[in-house]
């Protein structure tokens, strides 16, 4: 193998392994902590299912394609692999859309949220999303509707002497599938995100008007930023990062796929790069949770301490050092204040 092939193998293998492990950790965290078994986290678990399947069923064969330069698996698996590729990418963005809708209900109707979004309704919504993803992938691809002018995917040697598995779609299918499974859900997720952001700001301003008189009497700062920020950050940052990450990672592929279906003028390496950029979204999602969601962060820390007991000693030691530093700073400050008083007297 050339150095470039070795580097590509290592990078893509790391992406596959890290995506699988990080999303499995989401399952472990939800199974370990009863506090994480909420209706909202049902959508996160569903997103992790899509990401795990994408990392194993889709990304591993895609890695083999890049390493060997041709299709090395069974011919019959080619159409199945291509169908899973489209289905899981569609399911991922539809789950992001469902997360946005769930957060929208929680912010717009906080008192009625538990009645509106029950576990049964959440599972029903997820079932509909997965059915849409299946109907937009397996049905047209296995029947050849994705491109009637191109031979079946089973004919793996239509371009080179070596076996190839290429999903070449027609422009109508690229527009229809891209609009239904990627573009429309992204637009809905963005609209819901901005609705959530506006509602969070409105509620923060309402709370500010209620507590402002008491703050004035107490002589405290009542600037809009100091009062509004805690409310808006908790309600919008996590959702904004999830939606933003999906837009950044999948929009280039959406545009490139439509352009390539229209003119067949996109360089293969560029097209493949945008495909893998979209795959990387499945790695980003489980990283967002511990960074921005306190409940997941606490459970991850507990699991880390269980797996690595030695970290408990380091954590305890750091707390002792921090406590000593605080006590030392307090003593020094107290001594300096006494010195100032004695000098002034």
């Amino acid at each position: 193998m050339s150095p470039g092939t070795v580097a590509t193998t290592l990078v893509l293998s790391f992406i596959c392994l890290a995506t699988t492990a990080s999303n499995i950790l989401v399952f472990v965290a939800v199974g370990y902590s009863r506090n994480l078994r909420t209706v909202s986290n049902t959508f996160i678990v569903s997103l992790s299912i899509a990401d795990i399947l994408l990392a194993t069923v889709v990304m591993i064969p895609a890695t083999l394609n890049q390493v060997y330069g041709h299709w090395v698996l069974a011919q019959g698996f080619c159409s199945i692999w291509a169908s899973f590729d489209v289905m899981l990418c569609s399911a991922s963005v539809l789950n992001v859309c469902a997360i946005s809708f769930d957060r929208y209900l929680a912010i717009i109707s906080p008192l009625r949220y538990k009645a509106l979004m029950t576990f049964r309704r959440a599972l029903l919504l997820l079932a509909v999303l997965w059915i849409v993803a299946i109907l937009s992938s397996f049905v047209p691809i296995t029947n050849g509707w994705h491109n009637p002018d191109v031979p079946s995917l089973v004919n793996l040697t239509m371009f080179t002497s070596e076996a190839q598995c290429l999903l070449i779609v027609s422009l109508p299918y690229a527009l229809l599938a891209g609009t239904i499974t990627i573009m429309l859900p992204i637009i809905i997720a963005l609209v819901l995100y901005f609705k959530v952001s506006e509602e969070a700001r409105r509620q923060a301003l309402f709370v500010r008007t209620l507590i402002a008189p008491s703050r004035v009497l107490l002589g405290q700062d009542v600037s809009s930023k100091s009062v509004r920020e805690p409310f808006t950050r908790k309600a919008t940052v996590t959702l904004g990062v999830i939606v933003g990450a999906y837009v950044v990672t999948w929009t280039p592929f959406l545009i490139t796929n439509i352009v390539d279906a229209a003119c067949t003028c996109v360089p293969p390496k560029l097209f493949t790069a945008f495909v893998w950029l979209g795959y990387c979204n499945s790695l980003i999602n489980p990283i967002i949770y511990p960074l921005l969601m306190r409940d997941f962060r606490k459970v991850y820390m507990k699991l880390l301490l269980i797996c690595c007991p030695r970290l408990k000693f380091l954590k305890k030691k750091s707390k002792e050092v921090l406590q000593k530093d605080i006590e030392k700073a307090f003593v020094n400050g107290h001594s300096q204040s006494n010195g100032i008083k004695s000098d002034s007297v």
Side-chain angles (χ1 to χ4, degrees):
M1 287 188 181
S2 63
T5 303
V6 173
T8 301
T9 304
L10 292 176
V11 172
L12 299 185
S13 298
F14 171 78
I15 294 175
C16 295
L17 181 61
T19 302
T20 304
S22 57
N23 281 283
I24 290 177
L25 187 58
V26 175
F27 279 92
V28 175
V30 174
Y32 175 80
S33 175
R34 183 173 298 179
N35 294 332
L36 294 180
R37 300 171 200 168
T38 63
V39 176
S40 295
N41 289 342
T42 303
F43 298 103
I44 292 180
V45 171
S46 178
L47 179 60
S48 294
I49 292 175
D51 291 339
I52 290 174
L53 291 175
L54 186 68
T56 53
V57 179
V58 176
M59 292 168 63
I60 292 178
T63 301
L64 295 176
N65 274 346
Q66 295 301 312
V67 173
Y68 291 100
H70 61 276
W71 184 253
V72 297
L73 302 177
Q75 291 189 2
F77 184 64
C78 176
S79 60
I80 298 175
W81 172 71
S83 300
F84 265 111
D85 191 356
V86 177
M87 184 197 77
L88 295 173
C89 294
S90 303
S92 186
V93 69
L94 290 172
N95 275 286
V96 171
C97 186
I99 292 174
S100 301
F101 178 68
D102 175 73
R103 290 297 83 202
Y104 172 79
L105 288 181
I107 297 297
I108 298 299
S109 302
L111 299 180
R112 299 179 56 203
Y113 171 75
K114 290 186 177 181
L116 293 174
M117 186 59 72
T118 61
F119 272 105
R120 179 175 297 181
R121 291 179 179 176
L123 293 177
L124 179 61
L125 176 59
L126 290 174
V128 172
L129 298 182
W130 280 92
I131 290 174
V132 171
I134 293 173
L135 293 178
S136 63
S137 56
F138 275 89
V139 174
I141 292 176
T142 54
N143 288 281
W145 300 343
H146 62 286
N147 197 338
D149 298 330
V150 176
S152 172
L153 288 175
V154 178
N155 182 9
L156 303 176
T157 59
M158 55 187 176
F159 291 108
T160 63
S161 59
E162 294 181 319
Q164 298 290 333
C165 182
L166 302 173
L167 180 61
I168 302 175
V169 299
S170 63
L171 181 59
Y173 178 78
L175 290 172
L176 182 62
T179 301
I180 295 177
T181 61
I182 297 181
M183 184 183 299
L184 187 60
I186 284 178
I187 294 174
I188 293 175
L190 286 173
V191 170
L192 292 176
Y193 166 70
F194 285 112
K195 289 287 186 181
V196 167
S197 179
E198 291 176 0
E199 179 62 19
R201 285 185 170 86
R202 189 193 67 81
Q203 293 181 11
L205 288 175
F206 176 73
V207 173
R208 176 173 173 263
T209 59
L210 293 179
I211 65 177
S214 61
R215 284 178 172 261
V216 171
L217 292 175
L218 294 174
Q220 298 181 5
D221 178 33
V222 292
S223 62
S224 59
K225 182 178 179 181
S226 63
V227 178
R228 182 187 305 173
E229 186 175 2
F231 295 94
T232 57
R233 284 182 62 84
K234 291 181 180 179
T236 61
V237 169
T238 302
L239 179 59
V241 172
I242 292 176
V243 175
Y246 204 97
V247 172
V248 170
T249 53
W250 277 113
T251 299
F253 167 77
L254 174 64
I255 298 173
T256 305
N257 191 42
I258 295 175
V259 172
D260 190 61
C263 64
T264 317
C265 54
V266 178
K269 291 185 178 181
L270 179 63
F271 188 87
T272 302
F274 284 149
V275 170
W276 276 95
L277 177 62
Y279 289 165
C280 287
N281 180 258
S282 298
L283 174 61
I284 295 174
N285 287 330
I287 297 177
I288 294 173
Y289 310 145
L291 292 180
L292 300 178
M293 300 178 70
R294 183 181 301 174
D295 293 339
F296 271 92
R297 187 164 60 247
K298 288 182 178 179
V299 175
Y300 282 8
M301 182 58 65
K302 289 181 180 179
L303 293 174
L304 182 61
L305 293 177
I306 292 175
C307 296
C308 304
R310 182 170 295 185
L311 293 178
K312 294 182 179 180
F313 171 77
L314 296 176
K315 183 179 180 181
K316 182 179 179 181
K317 193 71 176 178
S318 62
K319 287 184 177 180
E320 292 177 352
V321 173
L322 179 61
Q323 183 65 28
K324 290 182 179 179
D325 291 340
I326 294 174
E327 293 176 355
K328 185 177 180 180
F330 176 78
V331 171
N332 292 338
H334 185 68
S335 301
Q336 291 177 0
S337 62
N338 288 338
I340 294 174
K341 288 182 180 179
S342 60
D343 292 338
S344 61
V345 174

